[in-house]
Amino acid sequence: MTNERSVYTTAVHGGTRKDDVFGAINEPIYMTSNYRIPTDGTPVDWSGIHSNIYCRNRNPNQMVLQDKLCALTGAEDCAVFACGVAALTGVFIPFLNSGDHAIVSEVCYSATNLLFREYLPQKYHIEVTILDTTDTEAVRAAVRPNTKLIHVETPGNPTTGISDLPAIAAIAHEAGALLSVDATFAGPICMYPLNLGADLEIHSMTKYINGHGDSLGGCVLGKTELIDKIKEIAMVNFGGILSPFNAWLVARGLSTLPLRMAQHSKVALAVAEFLEQSPAVRFVWYPGLQSHPQHDRALKYMNGQYSGMISFDIKGSEEQHQKFLDALHLVTHAVSLGDIESLIVYYDKHSDKLPHYPEIYREGFFRFSVGLEDEKDIIADLQQAFEAAGII
Ligand SMILES: *Cc1c(COP(=O)(O)O)cnc(C)c1O
């Protein structure tokens, strides 16, 4: 954090502009696709990102959200997109050329996985090495003379694996490559990847930043020089921009992010501790638990809050796992994460979402996004569902 104010204060006031026309204390929503262009003969820069021409170039609601994100993270600049995947391609397309090599976390979001396994190598001849980035030496060994990007997801989705960002940043920079980090699982509050050496920090704002499960969104944070390139190429020319209304919704969600993260983290730690001692459970991965494989990195690189994402594996048959899901009252079986309410996803034995972790399929693997409910109520819900399914 470069800002001296508390994150709570910055989340409320950062980026906010005053409405000079009517004095409204909330940011108006600028539902406009285009703007009046000066008629004084000034040349128009159709692809420009610094003047009001068209909503794909820029929009005040996007700008307020970008400023708020910069204020909260200390980032120099920010670009916002319609969703997290648009933000990710907004990094990969401008910074990778045919013949370049990229190193990518094997545990990463399914669209990122598919892009690097298939589309980018097959259609654009980009060389890709997919490996476990929690293993720093494996990253070092994979560097080639043409390595231009190292893309790390940390904490990894859904394993919560924590990569050593400062060490990987040093490897990337020595090789003349950029380090991009998808830190969606930590939100921009539990970890500051830019302060740990990342060049670009990416979030699916659909998750913690918006937090209310009512809008998609994505952002990239970093130095102006890199972000300008992303805006010029990915926003103006590839599209994928965030609508003014959704930018407004996400900015509203962002105002309470530090408050929500504190509660998500507190409740998740209590739930993880409950799961760890439950006879129904085979293993739990939560960066805040001492038993987490990279707990020492979580202590160093997270801010004492470990977010709301837990992965765990339970005993029983597939039929019992389905019964467990069906018996949950408070917790909903749904794919997204980072919402105010608790959401859980089941990766059954046939799921192809975790190709590198076959050992976890032995029984029942779940990704749990712990919401803002009280820990006692969540724990009671899990306990009664384990019992209803006959797992304990
Ligand atoms: C959800 C998610 C994405 C994709 O974001 P969308 O907003 O759904 O496009 C990318 N990375 C991670 C880690 C995610 O959880």
Side-chain angles (χ1 to χ4, degrees):
M1 282 295 296
T2 53
N3 199 313
E4 281 171 25
R5 282 181 175 171
S6 152
V7 284
Y8 293 104
T9 310
T10 304
V12 173
H13 293 282
T16 307
R17 290 161 203 227
K18 299 291 172 217
D19 168 20
D20 293 332
V21 180
F22 293 110
I25 61 166
N26 278 329
E27 182 69 19
I29 306 175
Y30 294 87
M31 293 301 283
T32 188
S33 51
N34 52 353
Y35 303 84
R36 222 174 21 241
I37 296 176
T39 50
D40 60 2
T42 315
V44 178
D45 179 4
W46 299 104
S47 300
I49 53 169
H50 299 296
S51 55
N52 298 340
I53 301 165
Y54 191 59
C55 195
R56 195 155 27 73
N57 304 72
R58 71 174 197 182
N59 171 282
N61 296 103
Q62 296 161 0
M63 291 158 68
V64 165
L65 176 58
Q66 286 161 356
D67 290 352
K68 207 184 242 324
L69 283 161
C70 288
L72 260 179
T73 59
E76 198 173 290
D77 219 330
C78 172
V80 292
F81 290 90
C83 64
V85 166
L88 286 160
T89 53
V91 169
F92 304 147
I93 289 174
F95 296 112
L96 285 173
N97 294 314
S98 295
D100 287 349
H101 173 242
I103 299 171
V104 182
S105 291
E106 68 180 355
V107 174
C108 64
Y109 193 69
S110 51
T112 310
N113 215 304
L114 203 65
L115 267 176
F116 280 106
R117 275 180 204 283
E118 293 182 17
Y119 298 145
L120 293 174
Q122 286 167 17
K123 291 177 77 78
Y124 302 101
H125 306 292
I126 287 161
E127 296 171 23
V128 178
T129 305
I130 295 176
L131 48 74
D132 177 3
T133 56
T134 65
D135 180 350
T136 308
E137 289 318 307
V139 176
R140 192 188 311 279
V143 171
R144 299 179 190 169
N146 57 340
T147 303
K148 288 288 161 13
L149 181 77
I150 301 182
H151 178 72
V152 172
E153 194 169 298
T154 187
N157 178 4
T159 60
T160 75
I162 309 270
S163 297
D164 191 339
L165 290 186
I168 296 176
I171 294 169
H173 297 154
E174 198 181 319
L178 292 174
L179 171 61
S180 64
V181 175
D182 180 340
T184 298
F185 257 40
I189 290 294
C190 296
M191 187 190 274
Y192 293 97
L194 296 176
N195 292 352
L196 298 172
D199 299 291
L200 294 164
E201 173 180 347
I202 305 157
H203 293 271
S204 165
M205 301 195 295
T206 314
K207 317 295 169 54
Y208 286 106
I209 292 178
N210 180 47
H212 292 72
D214 50 14
S215 170
L216 271 64
C219 67
V220 188
L221 299 150
K223 290 211 160 60
T224 300
E225 183 194 339
L226 300 176
I227 297 294
D228 273 358
K229 192 164 172 190
I230 290 173
K231 285 181 177 168
E232 281 159 11
I233 296 175
M235 277 179 64
V236 180
N237 292 316
F238 278 86
I241 57 119
L242 189 62
S243 79
F245 182 60
N246 284 3
W248 185 89
L249 274 178
V250 175
R252 184 168 73 162
L254 182 55
S255 307
T256 57
L257 180 71
L259 208 54
R260 286 186 283 109
M261 271 339 245
Q263 173 75 356
H264 282 301
S265 302
K266 168 178 161 286
V267 177
L269 183 59
V271 171
E273 284 168 350
F274 158 76
L275 289 168
E276 192 163 46
Q277 57 72 51
S278 168
V281 175
R282 292 181 55 235
F283 62 82
V284 187
W285 287 327
Y286 181 66
L289 288 179
Q290 264 181 10
S291 57
H292 187 277
Q294 292 92 31
H295 180 62
D296 54 333
R297 288 181 191 161
L299 283 175
K300 261 198 293 188
Y301 303 144
M302 299 183 82
N303 73 347
Q305 296 177 354
Y306 302 100
S307 182
M309 298 308 301
I310 302 175
S311 292
F312 62 97
D313 193 82
I314 63 175
K315 298 171 184 164
S317 63
E318 262 182 68
E319 198 181 44
Q320 283 176 305
H321 304 152
Q322 292 293 351
K323 272 198 187 143
F324 162 71
L325 284 174
D326 191 49
L328 291 166
H329 300 307
L330 270 186
V331 181
T332 305
H333 187 210
V335 288
S336 196
L337 59 100
D339 283 6
I340 56 172
E341 65 184 287
S342 290
L343 304 173
I344 197 163
V345 175
Y346 177 43
Y347 293 80
D348 66 35
K349 286 191 169 58
H350 318 290
S351 168
D352 62 354
K353 293 293 179 208
L354 293 169
H356 286 266
Y357 285 80
E359 70 274 19
I360 69 175
Y361 295 134
R362 276 177 293 179
E363 300 199 18
F365 187 76
F366 293 83
R367 185 189 75 190
F368 188 14
S369 169
V370 177
L372 302 179
E373 303 94 339
D374 191 278
E375 61 248 40
K376 287 198 274 318
D377 297 325
I378 294 176
I379 290 169
D381 197 29
L382 292 168
Q383 176 70 20
Q384 66 79 27
F386 287 147
E387 288 169 14
I391 298 166
I392 47 177

